[in-house]
Amino acid sequence: MAKLLDESAKGVYIIAATPFADDGALDLPSAEKMVDFYLACGVTGMTILGVMGEAPKLSPQESIQFAETCLKRVAGKVPVIVGVSAAGNRNLGNFAKKVMDMGAGGVMVAPIAGLKTEEQIEGYYAAIAKELGDIPVVVQDYPQLINVHMSVGLLDRLFAQFPSFKVLKHEDQPGLRKLSKFRANAAKHGRRVSILVGNSALYLPQEMRRGADGANTGFAYPEMLVECVNLFLAGKPEEAEDLYDLYLPVVRHEQQMGMGLAVRKEVLRRRGVIKSNHVRAPGYAMDADDHKELDQLMARLERKLAAVGRATKTAA
């Protein structure tokens, strides 16, 4: 039985990669192994076909095939959010209904590029709410990529108007003040909705202190995200930050625009999670210097973890 997303969502909703073979074909066995790995790391949920999942580079048939593979493998153990953003509302709605029938827990929708005014953005999301009915929705606020800016006031109105909107995916930069204001304004939209944060986990400790409920990003060491968020939720922020600090050099390295996905895929490959680090074109391909840097970062992480009696996981 699929677990539907609701306003209480918290923890780590890992953003999944989409594994490809070296020739660029979908690698579904690696997708199954990846799902098993994420579950073994203790994630609360998953998001597939997001920005990290290279969704625009997949054909509609590939998107269905990949979603079906992941959802079957998860088998209802945790909620799965599926990115369904599309230029056409009908296409978006049809895909959303298909993945919900397959067992998804909800869908993520970003505003389409080109929306300039709050009236336009509000109108767009009103049309999406009508198209999707009672399907649980994650509203993705990622202006650095989409170039659509949503104010706190607009977000308040969206969540007040549309009860099917359950989660804010917060990725604005600088965004800490925005997060605090949205959390403080909960009474304006009549309910406390979930805030899950992205930004490649670069600001995760500060975002958790500001009232975030968890992480919705794809850092290649998901066990750190899980333990860090759990410590924050258990009221142990200093322990959480101490753990986070061990991984910060890798978090920072992954944050690089344009090459971060290639680094993440290579780390997942080295950890035995996927077979290939292939990123579909247009995309970054790591060279010898990139690999040397990553060697150093991963070795340093292992030394730091060993010094405090810890070690990284490997895929089964």
Side-chain angles (χ1 to χ4, degrees):
M1 181 70 177
K3 297 183 179 180
L4 294 180
L5 195 67
D6 62 28
E7 295 91 340
S8 68
K10 62 183 178 180
V12 174
Y13 281 70
I14 194 74
I15 301 285
T18 299
F20 302 116
D22 287 338
D23 65 0
L26 272 180
D27 180 359
L28 297 179
S30 281
E32 292 177 333
K33 191 171 187 179
M34 178 184 67
V35 167
D36 293 344
F37 174 71
Y38 288 146
L39 291 173
C41 287
V43 300
T44 313
M46 295 183 198
T47 298
I48 61 173
L49 298 176
V51 173
M52 180 180 162
E54 301 177 74
K57 300 176 186 177
L58 273 64
S59 70
Q61 294 78 14
E62 287 176 321
S63 295
I64 289 290
Q65 191 177 16
F66 179 71
E68 185 174 27
T69 297
C70 292
L71 289 164
K72 281 185 177 179
R73 197 70 173 187
V74 171
K77 296 181 181 71
V78 297
V80 177
I81 302 165
V82 181
V84 298
S85 298
N89 290 6
R90 178 175 292 185
N91 291 340
L92 184 156
N94 288 341
F95 184 50
K97 288 158 191 170
K98 284 179 182 177
V99 296
M100 292 302 294
D101 288 342
M102 292 178 191
V107 300
M108 182 162 63
V109 181
I112 58 171
L115 301 176
K116 301 298 184 184
T117 68
E118 295 203 341
E119 183 179 13
Q120 289 174 333
I121 300 168
E122 199 164 350
Y124 172 75
Y125 273 109
I128 293 300
K130 182 178 180 180
E131 180 72 35
L132 296 181
D134 59 0
I135 294 175
V137 173
V138 177
V139 175
Q140 185 176 20
D141 183 17
Y142 194 7
Q144 303 92 280
L145 179 69
I146 304 165
N147 200 29
V148 175
H149 296 266
M150 295 190 279
S151 69
V152 173
L154 172 60
L155 291 170
D156 287 339
R157 294 196 299 275
L158 292 178
F159 282 93
Q161 290 179 69
F162 309 118
S164 62
F165 292 6
K166 308 294 185 182
V167 176
L168 172 64
K169 168 72 181 291
H170 171 75
E171 300 192 81
D172 202 351
Q173 295 183 32
L176 295 175
R177 185 177 298 175
K178 185 175 185 178
L179 193 161
S180 293
K181 286 183 177 180
F182 181 77
R183 174 58 76 220
N185 286 355
K188 291 185 179 180
H189 43 75
R191 57 190 172 130
R192 184 192 187 280
V193 299
S194 172
I195 302 174
L196 300 177
V197 293
N199 286 320
S200 299
L202 194 59
Y203 316 109
L204 180 61
Q206 290 71 40
E207 290 164 335
M208 291 299 297
R209 289 181 184 272
R210 293 277 189 141
D213 296 294
N216 188 204
T217 191
F219 184 51
Y221 292 90
E223 65 271 33
M224 182 280 280
L225 297 177
V226 169
E227 188 172 357
C228 182
V229 169
N230 285 345
L231 285 167
F232 268 107
L233 294 176
K236 300 177 180 179
E238 290 302 318
E239 290 183 39
E241 292 226 41
D242 288 343
L243 171 65
Y244 177 87
D245 288 347
L246 298 174
Y247 290 83
L248 181 55
V250 182
V251 172
R252 182 187 61 216
H253 193 64
E254 278 191 5
Q255 173 73 2
Q256 297 175 86
M257 294 299 291
M259 71 172 286
L261 176 58
V263 173
R264 280 186 181 168
K265 280 193 157 183
E266 174 60 12
V267 174
L268 291 173
R269 187 197 66 80
R270 293 186 185 198
R271 301 188 73 191
V273 180
I274 59 178
K275 287 185 179 180
S276 172
N277 66 2
H278 185 85
V279 176
R280 279 190 176 175
Y284 191 89
M286 294 175 63
D287 63 15
D289 289 330
D290 294 326
H291 281 282
K292 184 177 179 180
E293 285 172 347
L294 189 57
D295 291 341
Q296 294 167 342
L297 283 165
M298 293 180 72
R300 184 177 186 275
L301 174 60
E302 293 292 352
R303 291 196 303 271
K304 290 279 190 178
L305 291 173
V308 294
R310 292 174 173 271
T312 57
K313 297 179 183 289
T314 55

